[in-house]
Amino acid sequence: MSGDGEGIKGCPGKEPGELFRAGRLVKVCAPMVRYSKLAFRTLVRKYSCDLCYTPMIVAADFVRSAKARDSEFTTNKGDNPLIVQFAAKEAQVLCDAARIICPFADGIDLNCGCPQRWAMAEGYGACLINKPELVRDMVRHVRNQIDNPGFSVSIKIRIHEDLKRTVDLCQKAEATGVSWITVHGRNVEERHQPVHYDAIKVIKESVSIPIVANGDIKTLKDAENVHHLTGADGVMVARGLLANPAMFAGYEETPLKCIQDWVNIALEHGTPFTCFHHHLMYMMERITSKQEKKVFNVLSSTSAVLDYLNNHYGVC
């Protein structure tokens, strides 16, 4: 676990809860395995992203191993407000993880939405939506054991086939003091089916805490439409931001300035080549031809990528 310099904690006045109280749509970068790391969070914050999540971290590993902490979590003094997302199934383990992270972040999020088989088999992720008492217990423990009242405790969920069960889960979580709930508008079995924005609207109308809508938001216009459709207080975006990290600033496709910014940030942060290259592949998907992709996507060194960007786009 590392940070560069003093004052790593989020700046005063930028507590996540205050974003939601400001009364405008809160734009959120989703937790993304391998991708929502410090360098990418730094990039999207330059383009109107209000709140960023780390990739999901298994709380038990994080608590047990200093090596896991160092590889899984890096931050710096500009990286705020920041939410650290944990996979957990035991209240005390989640509390221990929250206590370790508290000086370096603005809140934690409990993942109750990951549909991957490994997570479900371990008792993590989306199987927690069927255990509302356990979720309530975990939230309550963290609330009771973290002294900082501005430190947020949120959950990210998927919906049930029977929406009444989701409403019940959300109301129980609200009663326990959860700060906000992010709702991915699909059930555990659904992957690319249309998002049930009507379900998010029902959930929003059944609680008084902020609701963040998640699923298939690709542009700022999409974000605004989802806000109007659901009444959600915020929108969380994953693939849309990978494809265009400047989307929250209103760009329809990744501007060259954003690509230049990514090169500068990634080099400054020492981002591993594979991650550096993958982000560029996503960003340039819409602005390159099939032929250009064939060449660019097989480049195998940072210097080759930099030469290509310089020769084709004047990015250096």
Side-chain angles (χ1 to χ4, degrees):
M1 191 165 75
S2 60
D4 61 1
E6 293 304 308
I8 296 167
K9 198 168 180 182
C11 300
K14 289 188 89 176
E15 285 174 2
E18 291 192 14
L19 288 173
F20 290 104
R21 289 191 289 275
R24 60 181 183 80
L25 185 65
V26 179
K27 304 179 196 78
V28 186
C29 175
M32 290 179 274
V33 177
R34 294 185 301 279
Y35 293 123
S36 61
K37 296 203 164 192
L38 176 59
F40 188 69
R41 298 195 301 265
T42 303
L43 179 67
V44 295
R45 289 186 196 280
K46 286 175 78 82
Y47 291 92
S48 304
C49 183
D50 300 311
L51 181 63
C52 291
Y53 280 55
T54 67
M56 181 180 78
I57 299 169
V58 176
D61 296 343
F62 189 80
V63 169
R64 192 169 47 234
S65 158
K67 190 177 174 189
R69 291 195 286 279
D70 286 340
S71 68
E72 296 282 351
F73 181 71
T74 311
T75 190
N76 62 23
K77 60 179 178 286
D79 187 28
N80 64 77
L82 176 66
I83 305 301
V84 178
Q85 190 186 65
F86 285 114
K89 57 184 175 182
E90 295 163 277
Q92 196 51 54
V93 172
L94 183 61
C95 276
D96 293 344
R99 203 181 287 115
I100 293 167
I101 215 76
C102 186
F104 306 101
D106 301 283
I108 63 155
D109 184 81
L110 174 63
N111 185 314
C112 306
C114 178
Q116 290 183 40
R117 278 203 191 89
W118 75 265
M120 305 270 283
E122 292 282 340
Y124 299 136
C127 67
L128 290 175
I129 64 172
N130 298 318
K131 299 176 180 176
E133 276 70 29
L134 177 56
V135 172
R136 188 167 63 179
D137 195 37
M138 287 197 274
V139 171
R140 183 183 290 133
H141 263 73
V142 177
R143 272 273 167 257
N144 290 344
Q145 291 187 32
I146 300 289
D147 288 338
N148 178 357
F151 190 78
S152 66
V153 183
S154 56
I155 62 174
K156 182 172 188 286
I157 66 170
R158 282 189 170 232
I159 58 173
H160 299 83
E161 285 279 351
D162 176 3
L163 197 58
K164 287 200 282 291
R165 295 179 65 199
T166 317
V167 168
D168 177 61
L169 168 71
C170 293
Q171 289 174 339
K172 282 182 170 142
E174 177 180 23
T176 316
V178 85
S179 308
W180 68 83
I181 299 171
T182 301
V183 183
H184 183 108
R186 292 185 175 98
N187 66 41
V188 176
E189 304 302 325
E190 293 175 319
R191 291 296 181 274
H192 303 293
Q193 291 89 335
V195 176
H196 303 284
Y197 295 120
D198 52 338
I200 300 176
K201 183 175 194 283
V202 169
I203 293 163
K204 171 62 192 164
E205 289 168 353
S206 69
V207 295
S208 52
I209 52 172
I211 294 294
V212 176
N214 174 226
D216 279 4
I217 298 166
K218 303 280 169 48
T219 64
L220 184 59
K221 198 169 188 331
D222 287 347
E224 286 161 354
N225 288 343
V226 167
H227 170 54
H228 292 306
L229 276 172
T230 63
D233 306 270
V235 289
M236 176 183 279
V237 179
R239 283 173 305 191
L241 277 174
L242 283 180
N244 178 7
M247 67 160 273
F248 282 144
Y251 291 91
E252 292 293 314
E253 57 190 29
T254 312
L256 284 181
K257 183 183 183 311
C258 183
I259 292 170
Q260 179 73 71
D261 285 337
W262 171 244
V263 169
N264 295 344
I265 290 165
L267 294 180
E268 187 186 324
H269 284 260
T271 301
F273 172 72
T274 304
C275 180
F276 169 63
H277 191 207
H278 279 184
H279 274 294
L280 286 167
M281 285 187 217
Y282 280 117
M283 286 181 209
M284 294 166 65
E285 175 75 25
R286 294 182 203 161
I287 58 174
T288 49
S289 67
K290 197 178 263 187
Q291 198 51 48
E292 285 174 316
K293 286 185 187 65
K294 271 185 186 164
V295 176
F296 184 78
N297 292 1
V298 297
L299 297 175
S300 58
S301 71
T302 300
S303 57
V305 167
L306 295 178
D307 285 347
Y308 183 96
L309 292 175
N310 191 11
N311 292 337
H312 289 74
Y313 299 103
V315 170
C316 53

